[in-house]
């Protein structure tokens, strides 16, 4: 595999406009926090309230399109020639796409996302119960609705990180992989995958604009991950080693430096020696964590509760899938602005959409030799299984602590914040100190695999004539790793993470029509090449022959 410092050239038409505009956004934000706050509020309202319905409808369309691609005859199309074998073994391939897709969010939010829903009950379930305010706390729920609120609070994280998220990720993957490995195109970009519909415009200003929006979305999405993960790891490190996190801001810089060393080295080494190895390690550590929680539960009596609650949550999700997928809470929006769907579901869909191009480009690059059906199942099914298992167990344990009164996590969340709540949960377990270190290491590697995948993908988008067997130049991958590390420092030191998060929301709005073009392009290519074929395994040799000639 080619991987040199100079073989693949940087494309100045994409690189310089992207880099300059990112600086023009980040520098003023770093200078003026007041202006940043105003920009956050305006951009959030603009991207979630008027366009919220579009995110929800589009997500359902993505799921329907994937079911058609996977289970029609096109599911048999091999992404490559007739003799192409997969580059990575199945377990490594799934680990790479899984770790790239979830970042550190699943560990940053796993223990407390369910608990946070108890305050702003989804689907207006607060109407089902009365509130005992005698103690001055809105969390003292009484009445028959309390149990139902807990059930939905456990279900919602699995919904937000489940089928819908992975459907958004998978949509751009298929046309990009098809263009790379079947039609033998030389450019690993979203604009190239739009060429069957846009034609010559995909190589001009419109194509460059698409690629710039892709990079904006990736930087915004990674910024959101860093904004969540940096304080989480900092707090865990302070707690594990007995440091005062409030007066030790240097901890965050040490955390970022170690992170940079990990994902910078991984990006420098490339796919096989770097990202693939990190992903395998990550998968084993994640399995170790959830296995430990469940084994401890056998002795403490909560394992069966988690299994019962998870089974129940899937029943709720399947029975209410269309309702929660399309719930906009219109009257709350009309009267007071953003409600639960805007702050949670629509935010998540925008976040996944911003990450979608990165996932499409990265997963396409590692999926040579797989069929379309294999690819859809790997992302939709196995991606969902991975996130749902972790949220079911981590969130289920938190629900157990809250319901039984073992640990009042709603109070901990209000008083200690997100990181303090994670520390409080881990301290309820045996071997809390080593478990906290394991949790911190796992979060380190999860975020590293996402960031190095992002740096790899941004470098690919900003490269010229990148063939399927090539990788972006090492200096180029390393440059974007440095850029993301500097971004993390800005977030940690200046606490302007909301602006970067909002960047992903704003960038996601124009990505919706771009994704629609990708769907149309994918359909057009499949019909042109295999519309008349009735073979069980659809492969083509005309592109192989053309390449050989």
């Amino acid at each position: 595999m080619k991987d040199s410092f100079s073989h693949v050239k940087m494309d100045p038409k994409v690189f310089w406009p992207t880099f300059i505009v990112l600086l023009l956004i980040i520098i003023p934000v770093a200078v003026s926090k007041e202006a940043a706050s105003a920009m956050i509020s305006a951009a959030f309202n603009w991207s979630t309230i008027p366009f919220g319905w579009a995110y929800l409808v589009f997500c359902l369309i993505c799921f329907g399109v994937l079911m058609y691609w996977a289970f029609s005859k096109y599911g048999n199309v091999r992404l490559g020639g007739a003799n192409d074998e997969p580059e990575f073994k199945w377990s490594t391939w799934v680990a790479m796409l899984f770790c790239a897709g979830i970042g550190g969010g699943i560990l940053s939010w796993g223990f407390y996302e369910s608990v946070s829903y108890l305050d702003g009950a989804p689907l207006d379930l607060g109407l089902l119960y009365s509130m005992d305010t005698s103690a001055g706390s809105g969390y003292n729920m009484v009445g028959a609705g309390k149990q139902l609120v807990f059930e939905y609070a456990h279900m919602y994280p699995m919904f937000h990180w489940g089928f819908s998220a992975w459907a958004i990720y998978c949509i751009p993957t298929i046309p990009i992989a098809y263009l790379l490995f079947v039609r033998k195109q030389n450019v690993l970009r979203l604009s190239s995958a739009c060429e069957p519909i846009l034609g010559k415009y995909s190589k001009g200003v419109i194509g460059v604009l698409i690629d710039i929006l892709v990079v904006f979305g990736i930087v915004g999405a990674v910024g959101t991950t860093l904004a969540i993960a940096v304080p989480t790891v900092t707090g865990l490190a302070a707690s594990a080693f007995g440091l005062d996190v409030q007066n030790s801001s240097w901890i965050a810089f040490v955390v970022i430096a170690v992170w940079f060393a990990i994902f910078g080295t991984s990006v420098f080494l490339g796919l096989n020696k770097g990202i693939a190895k990190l992903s395998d390690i990550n998968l084993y550590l994640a399995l170790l964590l959830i296995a430990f929680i469940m084994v401890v539960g056998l002795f403490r009596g909560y394992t069966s509760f988690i299994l019962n609650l998870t089974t129940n949550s899937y029943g709720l999700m399947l029975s209410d899938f269309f309702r929660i997928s399309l719930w906009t809470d219109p009257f709350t929006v009309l009267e007071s602005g953003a409600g639960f769907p805007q702050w949670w579901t629509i935010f998540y869909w925008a976040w996944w959409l911003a990450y979608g191009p990165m996932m499409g480009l990265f997963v396409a690059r590692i999926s040579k030799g797989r069929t379309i059906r294999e690819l859809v199942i790997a992302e939709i099914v196995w991606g969902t299984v991975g996130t749902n298992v972790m949220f079911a167990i981590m969130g289920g344990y938190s629900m157990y602590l809250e319901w039984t009164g073992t640990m009042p996590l709603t109070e901990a969340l209000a008083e200690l914040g997100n990181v303090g709540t994670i520390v409080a949960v881990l301290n309820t377990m045996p071997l809390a100190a080593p478990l906290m270190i394991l949790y911190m290491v796992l979060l380190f590697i999860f975020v590293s695999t996402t960031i190095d995948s992002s740096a790899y993908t941004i470098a690919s988008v900003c490269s010229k004539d990148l063939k399927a067997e090539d990788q972006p130049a090492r200096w180029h991958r390393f440059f974007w790793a440095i850029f993301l590390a500097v971004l993390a420092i800005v977030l940690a030191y200046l606490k302007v993470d909301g602006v970067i998060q909002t960047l992903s929301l704003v960038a996601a709005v124009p990505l919706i029509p771009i994704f629609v073009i990708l769907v149309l392009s994918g359909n057009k290519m499949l019909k042109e090449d295999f519309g008349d074929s009735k073979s069980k395994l659809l492969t083509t040799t005309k592109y192989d022959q053309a390449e050989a000639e």
Side-chain angles (χ1 to χ4, degrees):
M1 179 178 291
K2 299 173 182 177
D3 187 18
S4 69
F5 289 91
S6 58
H7 172 72
V8 179
K9 303 294 184 181
M10 177 263 287
D11 189 345
K13 292 188 299 183
V14 179
F15 178 89
W16 287 114
T18 301
F19 181 63
I20 291 170
V21 173
L22 283 172
L23 290 181
L24 291 176
I25 293 173
I26 293 172
I27 291 175
V29 164
V31 171
S32 174
K33 295 183 182 181
E34 293 76 14
S37 297
M39 188 171 80
I40 291 170
S41 178
F44 180 85
N45 290 334
W46 176 82
S47 58
T48 58
I49 295 176
F51 299 102
W53 63 271
Y55 287 117
L56 300 179
V57 171
F58 176 72
C59 187
L60 273 184
I61 292 173
C62 287
F63 193 80
V65 168
L66 289 174
M67 293 303 98
Y68 169 69
W69 279 347
F71 297 105
S72 68
K73 66 178 181 180
Y74 299 126
N76 297 317
V77 172
R78 186 182 299 281
L79 299 170
N83 299 318
D84 283 337
E85 296 293 331
E87 184 176 358
F88 302 95
K89 65 180 182 179
W90 184 86
S91 59
T92 298
W93 176 58
V94 171
M96 290 172 73
L97 66 88
F98 176 72
C99 294
I102 65 169
I106 199 168
L107 288 174
S108 297
W109 290 359
F111 280 127
Y112 71 81
E113 183 170 336
S114 295
V115 176
S116 66
Y117 293 149
L118 297 176
D119 182 20
L123 291 177
D124 289 333
L125 292 175
L127 298 175
L128 297 177
Y129 61 82
S130 60
M131 304 296 290
D132 175 13
T133 57
S134 60
S137 172
Y139 295 117
N140 294 321
M141 294 177 289
V142 296
K146 178 180 178 181
Q147 176 178 324
L148 192 58
V149 170
F150 271 69
E151 291 176 5
Y152 272 91
H154 182 260
M155 177 274 292
Y156 248 97
M158 294 194 291
F159 168 66
H160 284 151
W161 294 72
F163 296 107
S164 301
W166 291 97
I168 294 174
Y169 282 169
C170 194
I171 279 290
T173 305
I174 292 171
I176 295 169
Y178 189 91
L179 204 67
L180 268 179
F181 301 122
V182 178
R183 291 202 167 184
K184 312 296 182 182
Q185 291 286 331
N186 290 339
V187 182
L188 188 61
R189 292 180 186 166
L190 221 65
S191 59
S192 299
C194 294
E195 186 176 355
I197 298 297
L198 295 181
K200 64 180 181 180
Y201 297 106
S202 67
K203 300 182 183 297
V205 176
I206 293 177
V208 172
L209 180 60
I210 289 173
D211 293 322
I212 290 174
L213 287 171
V214 166
V215 177
F216 281 178
I218 294 172
V219 171
V222 172
T224 303
T225 298
L226 290 170
I228 297 166
V230 170
T232 303
V233 173
T234 302
L236 289 170
S239 180
F241 299 109
L243 303 173
D244 183 4
V245 68
Q246 298 297 328
N247 300 316
S248 302
S249 59
W250 58 269
I251 301 175
F253 292 92
V254 173
V255 167
I256 293 168
V258 176
W259 240 327
F260 173 70
I262 294 173
F263 68 71
T265 302
S266 177
V267 166
F268 186 80
L269 292 174
L271 282 176
N272 298 74
K273 296 180 180 179
I275 298 173
K277 299 296 184 185
L278 270 183
S279 299
D280 282 337
I281 294 170
N282 219 14
L283 186 61
Y284 296 135
L285 290 179
L287 291 173
L288 177 62
L289 173 67
I290 60 176
F292 179 81
I293 295 173
M294 294 299 277
V295 169
V296 170
L298 292 174
F299 297 96
R300 293 190 173 181
Y302 62 75
T303 296
S304 61
F305 169 78
I306 290 177
L307 295 175
N308 282 326
L309 185 61
T310 301
T311 302
N312 184 80
S313 293
Y314 264 95
L316 291 176
M317 182 163 35
L318 293 174
S319 65
D320 284 349
F321 180 76
F322 288 101
R323 182 188 178 195
I324 59 181
S325 293
L326 297 175
W327 182 46
T328 60
D329 200 7
F331 293 103
T332 298
V333 172
L334 180 65
E335 293 177 358
S336 58
F340 181 91
Q342 286 72 35
W343 284 110
W344 288 103
T345 305
I346 292 170
F347 166 75
Y348 267 128
W349 281 197
W351 193 12
W352 306 144
L353 195 62
Y355 256 129
M358 185 278 287
M359 284 295 292
L361 292 161
F362 179 73
V363 176
R365 172 61 188 82
I366 64 175
S367 298
K368 183 178 182 180
R370 307 287 177 179
T371 65
I372 288 178
R373 184 174 297 116
E374 281 183 282
L375 184 53
V376 171
I377 291 174
E379 292 208 66
I380 293 281
V381 176
W382 293 111
T384 299
V385 167
T387 52
N388 279 193
V389 165
M390 295 193 72
F391 268 107
I393 294 173
M394 296 166 70
Y397 181 58
S398 296
M399 290 287 97
Y400 173 82
L401 294 175
E402 176 70 21
W403 182 270
T404 60
T406 305
M407 170 67 69
L409 293 181
T410 49
E411 295 179 12
L413 192 60
E415 296 174 6
L416 304 176
N418 303 339
V419 179
T421 303
I422 295 173
V423 172
V425 172
L426 292 175
N427 278 329
T428 65
M429 303 290 290
L431 303 174
L435 182 62
M436 207 168 296
I437 294 173
L438 170 65
Y439 199 88
M440 184 173 59
V441 170
L442 183 56
L443 182 55
F444 253 112
I445 301 177
F446 257 124
V447 174
S448 297
T449 51
T450 296
I451 295 177
D452 59 22
S453 302
S454 299
Y456 182 96
T457 303
I458 294 173
S460 299
V461 173
C462 296
S463 295
K464 184 185 296 184
D465 297 328
L466 187 69
K467 297 181 181 180
E469 67 272 13
D470 286 334
Q471 298 193 52
R474 280 178 172 170
W475 74 265
H476 199 174
R477 305 195 308 257
F478 204 63
F479 170 85
W480 286 108
I482 294 173
F483 181 88
L484 294 173
V486 171
L487 176 62
I489 292 172
V490 171
L491 298 180
Y493 183 69
L494 297 173
K495 296 181 170 38
V496 293
D497 52 283
V499 174
I500 306 302
Q501 290 171 255
T502 304
L503 177 61
S504 68
L505 296 176
V506 175
V509 174
L511 285 175
I512 292 178
I514 294 172
F515 273 46
V516 171
I517 294 173
L518 286 172
V519 170
L520 298 175
S521 294
N523 275 333
K524 185 176 181 181
M525 289 187 290
L526 288 168
K527 288 181 179 179
E528 286 176 351
D529 296 341
F530 299 111
D532 298 328
S533 176
K534 293 181 172 54
S535 172
K536 290 184 178 180
L537 183 62
L538 302 181
T539 58
T540 183
T541 58
K542 64 180 180 179
Y543 299 107
D544 297 291
Q545 292 171 351
E547 185 181 50
E549 294 172 357

